[in-house]
Amino acid sequence: MSGGDNLDFEIRPNPAPVTAAERDALLVNPGFGRVFTDHMVTVRYADGKGWYDGRVEARAPISIDPASAVLHYAQEIFEGLKAYKMADGGVAMFRPDANAARFAQSAQRMAMPQLSQAAFLQSLREIIRIDQDWIPQSDEGSLYLRPFAYASEVFLGVRPALEYLYLVIASPVGAYFSGGVKPVSVWVTPDFTRAAPGGTGAAKCGGNYAAGLSAQAEAIENGCDQVVYLDAVERKYVDELGGMNVFFVQDDGNLVTPPLTGTILPGITRDSVIKLAERAGRQVTERPVSIDEWREGAASGRIREAFACGTAAVITPIGTIKSPEGEFTVADGGSGSVTMGIRKELVDIQRGRAADPFGWVHRVL
């Protein structure tokens, strides 16, 4: 179901872009996902034709038929990554090839056509080039890129669609934490699970997030920032947070993280943390961790820290863990912690302030 490896993109500049003054005002405090650039990328797919009609055009509403397959059967996938202003003034993306690979894996799981890595990467480069002035100059700012695809065929039968639309939109974002990185509180939900074996847990599809909104609301009702899911079979092992992977820092400085068994999203930040930790001489073990082990480890000091990681916030220390059985705390993840040390190293690589030992940084400008 793959299209050709390469696509030509027709450039149609926005005839009425936001003025420089308006753009500068928006970039003072863009928040996260509230402000958008002047352009978007679109590529169409038809069965028997493959991917075609690549365009960079003015960002605008999409016309969609009420019988479009995505509205009824949720054939949809997406990615999230960032472009950064580098220390030397250039612009680069962080590990977009990994996003391309995961996008293809998600497409396969959702019975959708796979976009080639070359076309995926080119679509990102095109929107960065035309909207580069939207990248915040602040130290914590970046351009968040959202590639996504959905079933656009007008058809109500239950089968994989024969037509799809791929798009990329871009949003300038500031610091995820306006007051600096602070430990978050998490709620261990007793009622909801994120994914089950054989399900779509390893795919980045919108349905996984929609199914988690009730659990997130439950977390907020209990005074927490995020929800923690346990496994769907035994309801005892930690899977992941609502939108982030989780790590545990042992008393010897080594790390433990739940294994990728099909129910957990294979996070790109997660993989980066593993590689950086191992390069620094830390042992990283991927194995199941029960909520009881976390509680007892925090009490004994065997588990010194815990943190969540993902594209939006990079790395976030976890402070308080609440559940119907009570609550407990772990170390606050201060500036001298293992958590914040890994976070600093990762952010410095992303922004060109430190050596890139793995070739993760992809220059665009």
Side-chain angles (χ1 to χ4, degrees):
M1 293 197 300
S2 299
D5 284 344
N6 296 298
L7 282 172
D8 292 325
F9 289 86
E10 179 185 356
I11 310 299
R12 298 182 176 182
N14 190 329
V18 171
T19 67
E22 291 174 318
R23 184 179 62 238
D24 290 345
L26 290 168
L27 292 180
V28 170
N29 182 25
F32 192 93
R34 295 188 292 112
V35 177
F36 298 92
T37 66
D38 291 309
H39 297 86
M40 65 182 184
V41 172
T42 60
V43 185
R44 298 186 178 277
Y45 177 92
D47 186 52
K49 186 174 183 178
W51 294 101
Y52 70 100
D53 196 20
R55 299 181 185 179
V56 179
E57 56 191 340
R59 183 181 178 276
I62 301 167
S63 176
I64 187 167
D65 190 284
S68 293
V70 67
L71 299 178
H72 304 272
Y73 308 118
Q75 252 192 310
E76 179 270 347
I77 57 174
F78 69 98
E79 274 298 324
L81 67 158
K82 292 177 179 177
Y84 302 88
K85 281 283 188 182
M86 305 301 282
D88 62 5
V91 176
M93 294 181 285
F94 182 72
R95 301 194 69 182
D97 50 335
N99 290 93
R102 189 171 65 183
F103 195 69
Q105 292 162 5
S106 295
Q108 183 178 40
R109 178 62 183 86
M110 302 300 288
M112 297 171 65
Q114 296 179 37
L115 185 69
S116 72
Q117 181 180 92
F120 182 92
L121 296 178
Q122 187 62 26
S123 72
L124 301 178
R125 287 191 289 263
E126 294 290 355
I127 197 166
I128 291 170
R129 286 168 181 159
I130 200 167
D131 281 338
Q132 60 183 283
D133 291 338
W134 283 93
I135 303 176
Q137 300 292 327
S138 63
D139 185 60
E140 290 289 331
S142 59
L143 187 66
Y144 183 82
L145 305 170
R146 171 55 61 87
F148 62 104
Y150 68 86
S152 58
E153 183 185 5
V154 179
F155 179 70
L156 293 182
V158 183
R159 60 155 171 77
L162 301 179
E163 297 175 3
Y164 297 85
L165 184 63
Y166 167 80
L167 302 96
V168 185
I169 56 176
S171 174
V173 298
Y176 195 80
F177 302 100
S178 58
V181 181
K182 299 177 181 177
V184 296
S185 57
V186 297
W187 170 254
V188 183
T189 176
D191 301 315
F192 300 100
T193 59
R194 180 183 175 275
T200 60
K204 199 166 178 66
C205 60
N208 289 344
Y209 295 81
L213 295 178
S214 292
Q216 180 61 28
E218 181 183 79
I220 293 171
E221 289 172 3
N222 284 278
C224 293
D225 303 302
Q226 275 280 345
V227 62
V228 173
Y229 293 103
L230 302 180
D231 73 288
V233 178
E234 298 186 62
R235 298 292 187 95
K236 62 185 289 188
Y237 296 105
V238 176
D239 258 7
E240 64 174 282
L241 272 66
M244 294 182 280
N245 298 119
V246 63
F247 281 83
F248 305 94
V249 182
Q250 306 290 93
D251 54 4
D252 57 5
N254 293 323
L255 306 183
V256 177
T257 190
L260 300 179
T261 57
T263 62
I264 295 175
L265 184 72
I268 293 162
T269 307
R270 174 188 183 276
D271 182 70
S272 302
V273 167
I274 291 173
K275 287 181 168 58
L276 287 176
E278 291 178 338
R279 182 173 179 271
R282 301 185 189 277
Q283 180 181 342
V284 182
T285 303
E286 297 181 68
R287 64 167 177 83
V289 176
S290 69
I291 186 62
D292 288 340
E293 180 184 350
W294 191 359
R295 182 184 295 108
E296 293 163 6
S300 68
R302 188 163 41 84
I303 295 179
R304 292 288 178 85
E305 305 166 31
F307 63 86
C309 63
T311 298
V314 188
I315 290 175
T316 307
I318 298 172
T320 301
I321 301 89
K322 296 183 180 181
S323 74
E325 285 72 46
E327 67 178 74
F328 61 96
T329 61
V330 289
D332 64 5
S335 59
S337 66
V338 172
T339 298
M340 295 308 290
I342 295 174
R343 186 182 196 278
K344 183 180 185 305
E345 183 178 10
L346 182 55
V347 170
D348 284 347
I349 291 172
Q350 290 173 337
R351 296 181 178 275
R353 298 193 294 250
D356 176 17
F358 299 102
W360 287 339
V361 175
H362 288 235
R363 300 295 295 236
V364 180
L365 298 168

